[in-house]
Amino acid sequence: MRNPRFLALTTLEKVEAGAFIQEAFDPKGLKDVDRNLAETIVYGTVQNKLFLDHVIDRFVKKPENLDQNIRQLLRMALYQMHFLDRVPDHAVVSETVKMAKVISNVGAAGLVNGVLRQVIRQKEDAFHIRGEDEVTRLSVTYSFPKEWVVYFQQLLKDETEDFLKSTFKPAPLTLRPVSVDLASLMAELEEAGFHCDAMKSFPAAVVKKPRGLFETSAYKEGRFYVQDAASQEVVGLFTPDKDAEAMDLCAAPGGKSFQMAELFSHVDAFDSSPERLMRMEENIRRLGYKNIATAVRDGKMPLPKKKYDRILVDAPCTGLGLIRRKPEIKYRVGREDVLQLARVQRRLLENAYGALNDGGELVYSTCSVTVEENEGVLHSFLTDHPECRLKEKGTRYWPHRHGTDGFTMACIVRKDA
């Protein structure tokens, strides 16, 4: 039988090396209760990494010399002791010391034991944040690098802490109905034993406790697609037209292409990743779309000499709007990454525009909330193309305001020549 804590440790080591949690976490062979424990430890440890390191560094004499695998063990243990109630502290210490002996040596096990015993003796005071200035407090409390705390303070002002706090809330599993209305889909899933709530401001449903959802006939027969509510709003910026030819330039995994197929006569779905397109094609078959054609294309390279009435550029981005789902992102991207991606996004937008018919619409979107990747790219484009206008003011969704992923979107209209 696999040990859930060892699985959590190996997953965290892979994440530290650059993998995403969703790729690295492999719970095969674990009972549900152990899987849930391992998954909780992994996500919680990553979400709170800077906070946990703040505590560790107080109790280790030379924290800069601490082996990375022992630091991961201590993070895991402190996360369980501070945030989880299900396991007594003495049991956490015992399990962690045993693991230290396996992955390192008796000396490392002694260090782990000593640190954790000190933390138990100091109780809640061990987790008190040292640092008087507001940036340090927010950075440590919500485990956000200081440069991002400062950035969001400039952007959000008094809402900054609400936003940082919202990134710790579990992201909902949101369904978009396909070929049925929302009420019918919810009724079918309720009958199958799933509890569904309709979202207040979006034509979508949230499923609580979704384990087994993808074994239902509703899924297998293509009556829904999992897609965040804000992501669903992107395609809604287009003017529907059953005669329109459409292109999705960065299409995989495909949710927006599927929506476009319901509004337009045909969709060419391009993506640079053959693997992602293969998974997209599986969903095309499951959902029954007949008017989507996929092809491997790098959106920065010249496109076929075909003109389109509707084009979507859902550009690759920092993903800072997805931190609830991918907490590791906040440690991996910095301001320089934002600027580099903005240049790529601008190039994608320019390339797509060359394929847009006069009078056509081009929607630009990202799952990021930075100004540089959104308003900055659009301002640069519109400055260079005075013949274009925004259909309406762009929209940004925030997790703390809307309960959705962070998403930004706008529709550009190419004026008739």
Side-chain angles (χ1 to χ4, degrees), residues 247-293:
M247 173 177 73
D248 188 352
L249 186 60
C250 308
K256 300 177 190 68
S257 291
F258 306 151
Q259 288 178 273
M260 293 168 74
E262 297 169 15
L263 299 178
F264 311 127
S265 67
H266 178 80
V267 179
D268 283 333
F270 300 143
D271 200 272
S272 61
S273 169
E275 294 78 14
R276 284 162 58 87
L277 278 181
M278 284 178 62
R279 292 194 291 272
M280 179 176 172
E281 288 163 0
E282 291 172 2
N283 274 312
I284 290 173
R285 290 189 289 272
R286 178 179 67 84
L287 297 167
Y289 293 111
K290 305 298 184 184
N291 59 337
I292 303 175

Side-chain angles (χ1 to χ4, degrees), residues 86-359:
R86 69 182 82 173
V87 184
D89 287 352
H90 66 82
V92 173
V93 174
S94 176
E95 288 296 317
T96 307
V97 170
K98 287 179 186 177
M99 292 174 67
K101 290 177 181 177
V102 172
I103 69 171
S104 188
N105 53 45
V106 174
L111 182 149
V112 167
N113 184 63
V115 168
L116 298 182
R117 296 292 178 190
Q118 287 184 70
V119 169
I120 289 175
R121 282 194 294 272
Q122 292 196 19
K123 299 180 180 178
E124 281 305 304
D125 188 55
F127 296 94
H128 179 70
I129 294 172
R130 268 62 175 174
E132 296 180 359
D133 67 280
E134 182 69 355
V135 170
T136 297
R137 183 187 73 80
L138 292 173
S139 174
V140 175
T141 302
Y142 300 106
S143 285
F144 262 82
K146 287 185 178 181
E147 69 169 334
W148 285 120
V149 172
V150 172
Y151 184 91
F152 288 118
Q153 283 179 325
Q154 294 169 346
L155 189 60
L156 286 168
K157 305 295 190 289
D158 293 341
E159 293 181 65
T160 301
E161 187 159 11
D162 290 338
F163 165 66
L164 299 178
K165 189 182 297 184
S166 75
T167 65
F168 285 74
K169 295 179 180 178
L173 191 141
T174 312
L175 308 184
R176 184 179 73 83
V178 177
S179 72
V180 295
D181 61 76
L182 183 61
S184 299
L185 175 64
M186 290 176 63
E188 179 180 358
L189 292 176
E190 292 277 357
E191 190 172 337
F194 297 92
H195 178 68
C196 303
D197 288 327
M199 297 192 74
K200 289 182 180 178
S201 304
F202 303 92
V206 172
V207 179
K208 298 180 178 178
K209 297 182 180 180
R211 187 69 58 85
L213 182 67
F214 303 112
E215 303 303 319
T216 62
S217 58
Y219 175 78
K220 293 177 180 178
E221 295 169 13
R223 286 190 282 281
F224 70 82
Y225 182 77
V226 175
Q227 187 177 5
D228 183 74
S231 174
Q232 295 181 35
E233 293 295 291
V234 172
V235 173
L237 297 184
F238 285 117
T239 302
D241 184 348
K242 285 295 186 181
D243 296 323
E245 290 277 323
M247 173 177 73
D248 188 352
L249 186 60
C250 308
K256 300 177 190 68
S257 291
F258 306 151
Q259 288 178 273
M260 293 168 74
E262 297 169 15
L263 299 178
F264 311 127
S265 67
H266 178 80
V267 179
D268 283 333
F270 300 143
D271 200 272
S272 61
S273 169
E275 294 78 14
R276 284 162 58 87
L277 278 181
M278 284 178 62
R279 292 194 291 272
M280 179 176 172
E281 288 163 0
E282 291 172 2
N283 274 312
I284 290 173
R285 290 189 289 272
R286 178 179 67 84
L287 297 167
Y289 293 111
K290 305 298 184 184
N291 59 337
I292 303 175
T294 64
V296 178
R297 288 193 185 280
D298 182 341
K300 300 186 296 296
M301 303 303 290
L303 295 169
K305 295 184 185 301
K306 179 178 177 180
K307 292 289 185 178
Y308 297 89
D309 308 298
R310 305 286 186 270
I311 295 177
L312 172 62
V313 179
D314 184 43
C317 64
T318 55
L320 284 167
L322 305 179
I323 291 175
R324 294 183 306 171
R325 302 179 192 277
K326 298 179 178 180
E328 57 272 37
I329 287 174
K330 61 185 174 181
Y331 311 116
R332 295 186 181 174
V333 297
R335 296 293 298 279
E336 185 56 38
D337 298 297
V338 171
L339 298 176
Q340 290 179 3
L341 278 162
R343 289 190 283 270
V344 173
Q345 293 154 353
R346 179 68 179 81
R347 185 174 173 186
L348 289 167
L349 191 56
E350 190 70 36
N351 202 30
Y353 180 66
L356 186 66
N357 274 326
D358 290 338

Side-chain angles (χ1 to χ4, degrees), residues 6-7 46 183 211 216 237 241 274 334 359 366 387-388 391 396 413:
F6 267 111
L7 172 60
V46 174
R211 187 69 58 85
T216 62
L237 297 184
D241 184 348
T366 75
E387 74 279 11
C388 293
K391 183 178 177 182
R396 179 176 278 121
V413 179

Side-chain angles (χ1 to χ4, degrees), residues 358-370:
D358 290 338
E361 295 178 352
L362 191 164
V363 168
Y364 175 76
S365 65
T366 75
C367 54
S368 181
V369 289
T370 68

